[in-house]
Amino acid sequence: MRFIFLGSPGAGKGTQATILAERLNIPHISTGKILRAAIAEETSLGLEAQAYVDEGSLVPDRLIIALMRKRLSRDDARNGWILDGFPRNLSQAHALDRLLQILQQPYGRVINFEVPRSLLTERLLERGRKDDNPETIRRRLEIYQEQTEPLIALYERRRCLVTLRSDRSVEEVSLDLQEAIGLLVRL
Ligand code: AMP
Protein backbone atom coordinates (compact mmCIF):
# COMPACT_ATOMS: atom_id res chain seq x y z
CA MET A 1 0.00 0.00 0.00
CA ARG A 2 2.81 2.41 -0.83
CA PHE A 3 2.43 4.14 -4.14
CA ILE A 4 4.35 6.79 -6.03
CA PHE A 5 2.29 8.81 -8.50
CA LEU A 6 4.15 10.31 -11.45
CA GLY A 7 2.78 12.51 -14.17
CA SER A 8 3.05 16.00 -15.47
CA PRO A 9 1.21 18.92 -13.86
CA GLY A 10 -2.42 18.61 -14.94
CA ALA A 11 -2.28 14.84 -15.52
CA GLY A 12 -4.87 14.27 -12.82
CA LYS A 13 -2.67 12.46 -10.33
CA GLY A 14 -3.85 14.61 -7.42
CA THR A 15 -7.49 13.79 -8.11
CA GLN A 16 -6.75 10.08 -8.39
CA ALA A 17 -4.57 10.15 -5.28
CA THR A 18 -7.39 11.71 -3.27
CA ILE A 19 -9.86 9.02 -4.38
CA LEU A 20 -7.51 6.08 -3.80
CA ALA A 21 -6.21 7.36 -0.46
CA GLU A 22 -9.75 7.63 0.84
CA ARG A 23 -10.64 4.18 -0.43
CA LEU A 24 -7.55 2.58 1.16
CA ASN A 25 -7.55 4.81 4.22
CA ILE A 26 -3.93 5.83 3.78
CA PRO A 27 -2.48 9.35 3.70
CA HIS A 28 -2.28 11.24 0.41
CA ILE A 29 1.02 13.08 0.66
CA SER A 30 1.18 15.95 -1.82
CA THR A 31 4.33 18.06 -1.57
CA GLY A 32 2.61 20.84 -3.54
CA LYS A 33 -0.25 20.91 -1.05
CA ILE A 34 2.09 20.89 1.95
CA LEU A 35 4.05 23.77 0.41
CA ARG A 36 0.91 25.81 -0.35
CA ALA A 37 -0.25 25.36 3.26
CA ALA A 38 3.20 26.38 4.57
CA ILE A 39 3.10 29.48 2.36
CA ALA A 40 -0.38 30.41 3.59
CA GLU A 41 0.72 29.99 7.20
CA GLU A 42 3.96 31.88 6.56
CA THR A 43 6.10 29.23 8.27
CA SER A 44 9.86 29.32 7.67
CA LEU A 45 9.46 26.59 5.04
CA GLY A 46 6.71 28.61 3.39
CA LEU A 47 8.76 31.77 3.32
CA GLU A 48 11.70 29.96 1.74
CA ALA A 49 9.54 28.11 -0.79
CA GLN A 50 7.21 30.87 -1.92
CA ALA A 51 9.26 32.44 -4.71
CA TYR A 52 9.95 29.04 -6.30
CA VAL A 53 6.33 27.94 -6.18
CA ASP A 54 5.10 31.28 -7.54
CA GLU A 55 7.40 31.15 -10.54
CA GLY A 56 6.80 27.43 -11.17
CA SER A 57 10.33 26.22 -10.53
CA LEU A 58 11.39 23.46 -8.18
CA VAL A 59 11.86 24.20 -4.51
CA PRO A 60 15.44 23.23 -3.48
CA ASP A 61 15.90 19.51 -2.83
CA ARG A 62 17.18 19.98 0.71
CA LEU A 63 13.90 21.62 1.78
CA ILE A 64 11.74 19.02 0.07
CA ILE A 65 13.75 16.08 1.33
CA ALA A 66 13.67 17.39 4.92
CA LEU A 67 9.92 17.89 4.59
CA MET A 68 9.42 14.33 3.33
CA ARG A 69 11.66 12.84 6.00
CA LYS A 70 9.44 14.42 8.62
CA ARG A 71 6.18 13.52 6.91
CA LEU A 72 7.05 9.87 6.25
CA SER A 73 8.23 9.42 9.83
CA ARG A 74 4.80 10.24 11.20
CA ASP A 75 2.70 7.42 12.65
CA ASP A 76 -0.03 7.62 10.05
CA ALA A 77 2.50 6.85 7.31
CA ARG A 78 3.56 3.54 8.75
CA ASN A 79 1.10 1.34 6.91
CA GLY A 80 0.88 3.02 3.57
CA TRP A 81 0.78 6.23 1.59
CA ILE A 82 0.46 7.77 -1.81
CA LEU A 83 3.18 10.19 -2.84
CA ASP A 84 1.91 12.86 -5.21
CA GLY A 85 4.48 15.28 -6.60
CA PHE A 86 7.55 13.69 -5.03
CA PRO A 87 10.09 12.64 -6.22
CA ARG A 88 10.44 15.17 -9.02
CA ASN A 89 14.04 14.63 -10.07
CA LEU A 90 16.70 11.94 -9.83
CA SER A 91 18.33 13.29 -6.73
CA GLN A 92 14.97 13.28 -4.91
CA ALA A 93 14.35 9.72 -6.12
CA HIS A 94 17.66 8.58 -4.66
CA ALA A 95 17.00 10.44 -1.43
CA LEU A 96 13.63 8.69 -1.23
CA ASP A 97 15.34 5.30 -1.69
CA ARG A 98 17.64 6.04 1.23
CA LEU A 99 14.84 7.36 3.40
CA LEU A 100 12.58 4.38 2.78
CA GLN A 101 15.42 2.02 3.53
CA ILE A 102 15.95 3.67 6.90
CA LEU A 103 12.23 3.65 7.64
CA GLN A 104 11.88 0.10 6.31
CA GLN A 105 9.00 1.12 4.09
CA PRO A 106 9.54 -0.32 0.60
CA TYR A 107 7.34 1.21 -2.08
CA GLY A 108 5.14 -0.91 -4.31
CA ARG A 109 3.83 0.35 -7.60
CA VAL A 110 4.79 3.56 -9.36
CA ILE A 111 1.85 4.85 -11.38
CA ASN A 112 2.63 7.06 -14.34
CA PHE A 113 -0.35 9.16 -15.49
CA GLU A 114 -0.02 10.09 -19.14
CA VAL A 115 -1.91 12.84 -20.93
CA PRO A 116 -1.27 14.39 -24.37
CA ARG A 117 0.56 17.66 -23.89
CA SER A 118 -2.06 19.62 -25.82
CA LEU A 119 -4.62 18.81 -23.14
CA LEU A 120 -2.45 19.74 -20.19
CA THR A 121 -2.35 23.51 -20.61
CA GLU A 122 -6.11 23.55 -21.09
CA ARG A 123 -6.67 21.54 -17.91
CA LEU A 124 -4.29 23.67 -15.87
CA LEU A 125 -5.83 26.92 -16.99
CA GLU A 126 -9.26 25.60 -16.02
CA ARG A 127 -8.00 24.77 -12.53
CA GLY A 128 -7.19 28.42 -11.84
CA ARG A 129 -4.64 28.01 -9.05
CA LYS A 130 -2.37 30.98 -8.37
CA ASP A 131 0.56 29.27 -10.13
CA ASP A 132 -1.63 28.25 -13.09
CA ASN A 133 -0.92 31.13 -15.48
CA PRO A 134 0.40 30.57 -19.02
CA GLU A 135 4.01 31.49 -18.29
CA THR A 136 4.29 29.43 -15.10
CA ILE A 137 2.56 26.51 -16.76
CA ARG A 138 5.11 26.58 -19.58
CA ARG A 139 7.95 26.53 -17.07
CA ARG A 140 6.43 23.70 -15.02
CA LEU A 141 5.87 21.55 -18.11
CA GLU A 142 9.45 22.18 -19.24
CA ILE A 143 10.84 21.25 -15.83
CA TYR A 144 8.68 18.16 -15.84
CA GLN A 145 10.12 17.07 -19.19
CA GLU A 146 13.69 17.79 -18.26
CA GLN A 147 13.83 16.65 -14.66
CA THR A 148 10.89 14.43 -13.80
CA GLU A 149 10.37 12.41 -16.96
CA PRO A 150 13.72 10.59 -16.53
CA LEU A 151 12.18 8.95 -13.45
CA ILE A 152 9.88 6.98 -15.74
CA ALA A 153 12.87 5.10 -17.16
CA LEU A 154 14.32 4.61 -13.68
CA TYR A 155 11.19 2.95 -12.30
CA GLU A 156 10.66 1.05 -15.53
CA ARG A 157 14.10 -0.51 -15.10
CA ARG A 158 13.09 -1.48 -11.58
CA ARG A 159 9.97 -3.13 -13.00
CA CYS A 160 7.49 -1.36 -10.79
CA LEU A 161 6.04 1.11 -13.27
CA VAL A 162 2.47 1.07 -14.54
CA THR A 163 1.46 3.65 -17.13
CA LEU A 164 -2.18 4.75 -17.35
CA ARG A 165 -3.67 7.04 -19.94
CA SER A 166 -5.49 9.72 -18.05
CA ASP A 167 -7.08 11.72 -20.84
CA ARG A 168 -10.41 10.14 -19.92
CA SER A 169 -13.04 10.69 -17.27
CA VAL A 170 -12.03 10.61 -13.60
CA GLU A 171 -14.20 7.49 -13.12
CA GLU A 172 -12.60 5.58 -15.99
CA VAL A 173 -9.07 6.40 -14.89
CA SER A 174 -9.96 5.46 -11.32
CA LEU A 175 -11.23 2.03 -12.41
CA ASP A 176 -8.07 1.42 -14.46
CA LEU A 177 -5.96 2.42 -11.51
CA GLN A 178 -7.80 0.05 -9.17
CA GLU A 179 -7.35 -2.72 -11.69
CA ALA A 180 -3.64 -1.95 -12.09
CA ILE A 181 -3.01 -2.33 -8.38
CA GLY A 182 -5.16 -5.43 -7.99
CA LEU A 183 -8.12 -3.87 -6.16
CA LEU A 184 -10.53 -4.69 -8.93
CA VAL A 185 -10.92 -7.47 -11.45
CA ARG A 186 -12.69 -6.54 -14.66
CA LEU A 187 -13.98 -9.22 -17.01
P1 AMP B 1 2.19 20.58 -7.49
O1 AMP B 1 1.03 20.86 -6.60
O2 AMP B 1 2.71 19.17 -7.33
O3 AMP B 1 1.96 20.95 -8.90
O4 AMP B 1 3.38 21.52 -6.96
C1 AMP B 1 3.27 22.93 -6.99
C2 AMP B 1 4.64 23.56 -6.86
O5 AMP B 1 5.26 23.17 -5.63
C3 AMP B 1 5.64 23.15 -7.94
O6 AMP B 1 5.52 23.92 -9.10
C4 AMP B 1 6.97 23.39 -7.21
O7 AMP B 1 7.28 24.76 -7.18
C5 AMP B 1 6.66 22.96 -5.80
N1 AMP B 1 6.94 21.51 -5.57
C6 AMP B 1 6.03 20.53 -5.31
N2 AMP B 1 6.64 19.35 -5.15
C7 AMP B 1 7.96 19.57 -5.31
C8 AMP B 1 9.12 18.73 -5.27
N3 AMP B 1 9.03 17.41 -5.04
N4 AMP B 1 10.33 19.33 -5.47
C9 AMP B 1 10.44 20.65 -5.70
N5 AMP B 1 9.39 21.49 -5.77
C10 AMP B 1 8.16 20.96 -5.57
Side-chain angles (χ1 to χ4, degrees):
M1 297 235 291
R2 299 188 185 98
F3 304 99
I4 299 172
F5 280 15
L6 284 182
S8 96
K13 58 186 186 315
T15 306
Q16 295 298 332
T18 304
I19 297 171
L20 187 64
E22 194 164 313
R23 161 113 203 250
L24 296 177
N25 196 24
I26 52 177
H28 166 198
I29 302 177
S30 154
T31 41
K33 216 165 150 185
I34 294 171
L35 290 169
R36 283 188 290 280
I39 290 169
E41 289 164 25
E42 300 183 1
T43 65
S44 61
L45 168 68
L47 294 173
E48 269 201 88
Q50 175 149 34
Y52 300 97
V53 174
D54 282 351
E55 69 172 23
S57 52
L58 293 187
V59 172
D61 288 344
R62 68 177 165 83
L63 290 177
I64 296 290
I65 291 163
L67 178 166
M68 286 307 288
R69 184 178 306 124
K70 241 166 87 182
R71 183 62 189 88
L72 289 174
S73 303
R74 269 171 50 183
D75 272 358
D76 70 340
R78 220 176 312 156
N79 296 321
W81 34 250
I82 299 173
L83 303 191
D84 162 15
F86 176 89
R88 249 181 162 91
N89 59 29
L90 281 170
S91 107
Q92 292 184 10
H94 293 131
L96 177 64
D97 288 341
R98 288 190 293 273
L99 182 57
L100 295 183
Q101 201 166 19
I102 293 167
L103 294 171
Q104 297 187 308
Q105 297 183 359
Y107 62 82
R109 289 260 171 267
V110 179
I111 314 292
N112 172 33
F113 294 89
E114 228 173 40
V115 171
R117 187 166 170 140
S118 55
L119 245 178
L120 289 172
T121 312
E122 202 179 301
R123 276 196 183 181
L124 289 168
L125 284 171
E126 269 171 21
R127 198 165 67 174
R129 219 165 67 189
K130 187 178 169 212
D131 58 341
D132 287 337
N133 59 70
E135 194 192 328
T136 320
I137 288 173
R138 203 173 325 115
R139 177 162 313 121
R140 279 153 61 214
L141 293 179
E142 241 173 59
I143 291 177
Y144 173 76
Q145 263 182 343
E146 281 169 16
Q147 303 200 36
T148 314
E149 233 168 38
L151 300 185
I152 294 174
L154 171 79
Y155 292 118
E156 207 161 41
R157 280 199 302 278
R158 295 183 181 178
R159 307 211 172 280
C160 44
L161 191 85
V162 179
T163 293
L164 300 179
R165 284 199 57 171
S166 61
D167 54 339
R168 293 165 303 142
S169 72
V170 170
E171 291 72 23
E172 281 174 305
V173 178
S174 175
L175 288 175
D176 265 13
L177 172 60
Q178 291 176 50
E179 195 177 13
I181 62 174
L183 273 182
L184 172 81
V185 178
R186 278 201 285 189
L187 301 174

